[in-house]
Structures are given as C-alpha cells and as structure tokens.
Amino acid sequence: MASYLEKMEFRKATLDDLDCISGIYDRIHDGIENGQLVIGWKRDIYPTRETARGAIIAGDMFVELDNGVIVASGRINQEQVDVYADVTWDYPAPDDKVMVLHTLTVDPVSMRKGYGSAFVAFYENYASEHGCPYLRMDTNGMNTVARKLYNTLGYKEVGIVPCVFNGIPGVPLVMLEKKIWTKK
C-alpha cells in the first residue's frame, strides 16, 4: 500500500476545483441521508459549496489527487474555532505554533483506500514545514470512523465540547491533538 500512496499528489485547491470538492460534499450528504454514513453534517448547512469557496479564496484549502482525480480535500490553517478555548489541551501552545485541520473529506466512492491517512500525513508534514509542532482538529462525536482513524494515527481525544458547530445545534465536538517534530 505504501507505494500506492506515494503516487498521491497534494496541492492547494483553486476555484477550478470547486465543482469536484462540492461534489464530494454532496456525495457525503447523500450517504448521510441514505444511512450509509454517520458524520453529523447537514446538507445546506455544513459543509456547503460556499464552505469550500471560502476556504479556496482564503488560500488554505488543499486537495489530494490520485491519477489527476480529486479524492479528498481539507482545510489547513492556524485558525482555532472559538470552542477550542473551552478545552484543556495537553499541550498548551502559542497560537503561532498550532496548525489545525478542518473539514477533511474523502470521496465516498474512494473510501477505504488510505486517502484519509495520506491526507493527515500531508497535514502533519505541512505543519512541520511551517514550524507548528502542535496539531489540533475536531470531529463530531458521532463520527466514529474519523475518531478511530485519528486515534490510529496518534491523535489523542482531549475533550468533548457540546456546542452549535457550523450552524448545527447539539454537536458533541470531539477535540483531538498531537505533538510532532518540526523542520523549522
């Protein structure tokens, strides 16, 4: 599998990628609505085409490609959402040393091929190259697939904060973190 994942390409998303990213969101929402996926997202609330557009314009949306086809996307930046302040992190860190992964998505037609793990590895390398040893992310508590993946990749759940998240009420937001070595 390692040689297969070495073929993955990662790059910043452009507005030309918007239809592909939005299509992944739509297929995830379809999977939620037909009972195949349990993530906790709501169509027309989060994530939406405008979610992706905003991240692309901000310059922090990335895509993963396999043979030129977008199979995953995610937003990587140093923006910690407001509820992060409600968590007692194992690694208290200055904001400029924290990198955050938001809205990691893998196309449902491409799941179980290691794309999510590869994207997280890209995120970790990106953080390292930018001198950010403290990695943070969150996921909806009902998203057991993501929670298992992140645990397998060495992320520790440090708290669950009930909140309204991205317009969705009653979300048990699981907070995760990891410390890495940096290249800077």
Side-chain angles (χ1 to χ4, degrees), residues 76-107:
I76 301 172
N77 60 33
Q78 293 185 276
E79 296 174 18
Q80 299 180 69
V81 295
D82 58 352
V83 296
Y84 280 37
D86 298 335
V87 176
T88 301
W89 298 97
D90 284 352
Y91 303 110
D95 291 346
D96 67 335
K97 295 296 180 185
V98 175
M99 193 67 70
V100 184
L101 175 60
H102 311 268
T103 321
L104 172 60
T105 62
V106 175
D107 195 326

Side-chain angles (χ1 to χ4, degrees), residues 78-95 97-102 123 133-139 150 154-161 165 173-179:
Q78 293 185 276
E79 296 174 18
Q80 299 180 69
V81 295
D82 58 352
V83 296
Y84 280 37
D86 298 335
V87 176
T88 301
W89 298 97
D90 284 352
Y91 303 110
D95 291 346
K97 295 296 180 185
V98 175
M99 193 67 70
V100 184
L101 175 60
H102 311 268
Y123 158 60
Y134 303 100
L135 306 179
R136 293 183 180 163
M137 63 175 77
D138 57 72
T139 191
Y150 298 146
Y155 288 80
K156 180 181 178 189
E157 293 186 6
V158 294
I160 299 176
V161 179
F165 192 71
L173 198 63
V174 177
M175 307 298 201
L176 301 110
E177 73 176 336
K178 181 177 180 177
K179 185 177 179 189

